[in-house]
């Protein structure tokens, strides 16, 4: 309690000091940067969020979440992708990932949700999955979770971080839904509160995975990427044009793209004899190292 009290007292003092400073004619306001008190209040949220979030009974769609089935071939491939990410993190610090694609229908939401679950099943890692697709959210339907309050409500200043984080019946996984539908998705994704949110929660989680709108039609993903350590791009086999994949990568010229996931690879068999599903699914990651993995569906 003393930490919380000290943080609250510090926030109040900074708020008073800020008010005195802004009353001077010589002070120039900088609205593009958060007020000092916001960081102190973020410390309070970090201290309180574990106890403030209540459990919700999710109803996951198992057909779209092979990572939940431990013996499933698809789950094994997501574990391989997870291993590649840990190898990447051994050489370059990374905790928060943005998952996106060039166009709709390439499987980004599927990859994001199953990757988050696979990470959460590894050595009791605490994982936060964020639905940052404020235009066409789908993660709440995959998890069978409430759709609001969520990210749009937080970015609009209508709620706190503790009020939008959900914990369901998937161990070690927390979830922030997209929230109330909005018309100004690009503006909300571009405000500094998303960076403040990720920063304020980073000490609570080992990984933060954010799904977003496709990057070629709209700019939301580029804005959200500023809050993340790296970007994972998803393309769909035999569907995504090469120039679209190139354009998607170029959109993140100021953000580290750690790899591509190729989704919906035609059915094949591995040399070890393990068969894949009879559906078309699969992806491969190419970054500093390469891997093969599987997926099913395209969200």
């Amino acid at each position: 309690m003393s930490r919380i009290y000290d943080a609250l007292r510090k926030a109040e003092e900074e708020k008073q000091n800020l008010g005195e400073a802004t009353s001077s004619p010589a002070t120039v306001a900088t609205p593009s940067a958060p007020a000092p008190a916001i960081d102190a209040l973020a410390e309070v949220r970090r201290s309180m969020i574990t106890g403030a979030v209540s459990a919700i009974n999710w109803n996951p769609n198992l057909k779209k979440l092979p990572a939940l089935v431990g013996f499933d071939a698809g789950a094994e491939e997501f574990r391989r992708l997870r291993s590649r990410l840990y190898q990447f993190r051994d050489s370059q610090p990374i905790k928060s990932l943005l998952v996106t694609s060039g166009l709709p229908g390439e499987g980004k939401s599927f990859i994001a949700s199953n990757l988050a679950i696979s990470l959460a099943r590894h050595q009791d890692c605490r994982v936060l999955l964020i639905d940052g697709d404020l235009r066409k959210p789908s993660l709440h339907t995959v998890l069978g979770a409430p759709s609001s309050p969520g990210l749009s409500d937080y970015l609009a200043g209508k709620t706190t971080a503790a009020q939008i984080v959900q914990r369901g019946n998937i161990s070690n996984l927390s979830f922030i839904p997209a929230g109330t539908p909005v018309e100004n998705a690009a503006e909300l994704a571009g405000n500094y509160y998303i960076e403040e949110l990720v920063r304020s929660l980073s000490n609570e989680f080992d990984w933060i995975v954010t799904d977003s709108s496709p990057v070629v039609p709209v700019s939301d993903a580029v804005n959200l990427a500023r809050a993340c350590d790296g970007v994972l791009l998803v393309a769909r086999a035999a569907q995504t044009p090469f120039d679209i994949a190139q354009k998607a990568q170029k959109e993140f010229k100021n953000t580290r793209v750690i790899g591509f996931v190729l989704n919906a690879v035609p059915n094949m068999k591995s040399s070890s004899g393990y068969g894949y599903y009879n559906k078309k699914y699969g992806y491969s990651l190419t970054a500093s190292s390469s891997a093969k993995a599987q997926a099913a569906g395209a969200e």
Side-chain angles (χ1 to χ4, degrees):
M1 288 297 295
S2 61
R3 289 174 55 198
I4 298 174
Y5 174 77
D6 290 342
L8 286 170
R9 185 177 61 182
K10 181 181 178 182
E12 183 61 27
E13 291 174 352
E14 290 178 342
K15 183 177 180 182
Q16 292 176 355
N17 293 337
L18 182 63
E20 293 173 0
T22 53
S23 63
S24 172
T27 300
V28 179
T30 56
S32 60
I38 289 180
D39 288 333
L41 293 175
E43 293 287 342
V44 177
R45 282 202 292 273
R46 283 201 293 271
S47 301
M48 299 180 64
I49 192 162
T50 300
V53 178
S54 58
I56 296 175
N57 186 29
W58 295 341
N59 184 26
N61 184 343
L62 297 182
K63 292 183 179 180
K64 293 190 175 184
L65 295 173
L68 273 179
V69 185
F71 56 84
D72 188 277
E76 175 60 30
E77 296 301 335
F78 276 107
R79 286 192 287 269
R80 293 189 187 189
L81 175 58
R82 179 185 69 197
S83 296
R84 293 302 186 270
L85 288 174
Y86 272 100
Q87 289 175 6
F88 191 95
R89 190 155 78 166
D90 286 341
S91 59
Q92 302 183 52
I94 184 170
K95 174 180 281 191
S96 53
L97 279 173
L98 182 79
V99 181
T100 188
S101 60
L103 298 173
E106 296 182 299
K108 60 178 183 57
S109 299
F110 178 82
I111 300 299
S113 55
N114 280 276
L115 176 58
I117 290 172
S118 183
L119 290 167
R121 294 169 70 94
H122 179 63
Q123 298 180 350
D124 293 327
C125 282
R126 299 167 299 170
V127 179
L128 174 64
L129 176 63
I130 302 176
D131 194 340
D133 189 343
L134 304 183
R135 298 173 186 269
K136 192 178 178 181
S138 61
L139 293 184
H140 65 282
T141 62
V142 174
L143 294 177
S147 60
S148 62
L151 184 61
S152 65
D153 305 288
Y154 175 83
L155 295 179
K158 297 178 180 179
T159 187
T160 66
Q163 291 171 323
I164 64 174
V165 178
Q166 300 179 15
R167 284 195 178 94
N169 43 2
I170 300 177
S171 298
N172 301 317
L173 182 69
S174 298
F175 174 55
I176 295 179
T180 307
V182 293
E183 295 182 357
N184 60 334
E187 288 77 8
L188 288 182
N191 79 41
Y192 66 81
Y193 282 111
I194 183 64
E195 298 176 56
E196 189 265 342
L197 175 66
V198 173
R199 184 176 66 250
S200 67
L201 296 177
S202 62
N203 287 344
E204 293 293 329
F205 298 97
D206 300 294
W207 290 92
I208 298 177
V209 179
T210 301
D211 184 27
S212 76
S213 302
V215 67
V216 172
V218 293
S219 63
D220 305 13
V222 176
N223 292 328
L224 291 172
R226 293 201 302 266
C228 301
D229 298 325
V231 175
L232 197 60
L233 287 171
V234 178
R236 190 171 180 86
Q239 177 175 311
T240 304
F242 180 70
D243 62 328
I244 291 295
Q246 282 188 314
K247 186 173 182 179
Q249 183 176 9
K250 290 178 180 178
E251 290 291 335
F252 296 104
K253 59 184 178 181
N254 296 322
T255 308
R256 180 170 54 182
V257 176
I258 65 171
F260 270 85
V261 173
L262 185 61
N263 186 36
V265 173
N267 189 23
M268 56 186 177
K269 263 196 173 183
S270 66
S271 58
S272 62
Y274 289 98
Y276 294 170
Y277 288 106
N278 57 9
K279 296 180 180 179
K280 286 187 177 182
Y281 68 103
Y283 63 81
S284 61
L285 173 66
T286 56
S288 56
S289 58
S290 61
K292 290 183 179 179
Q294 301 176 353
E299 295 295 342

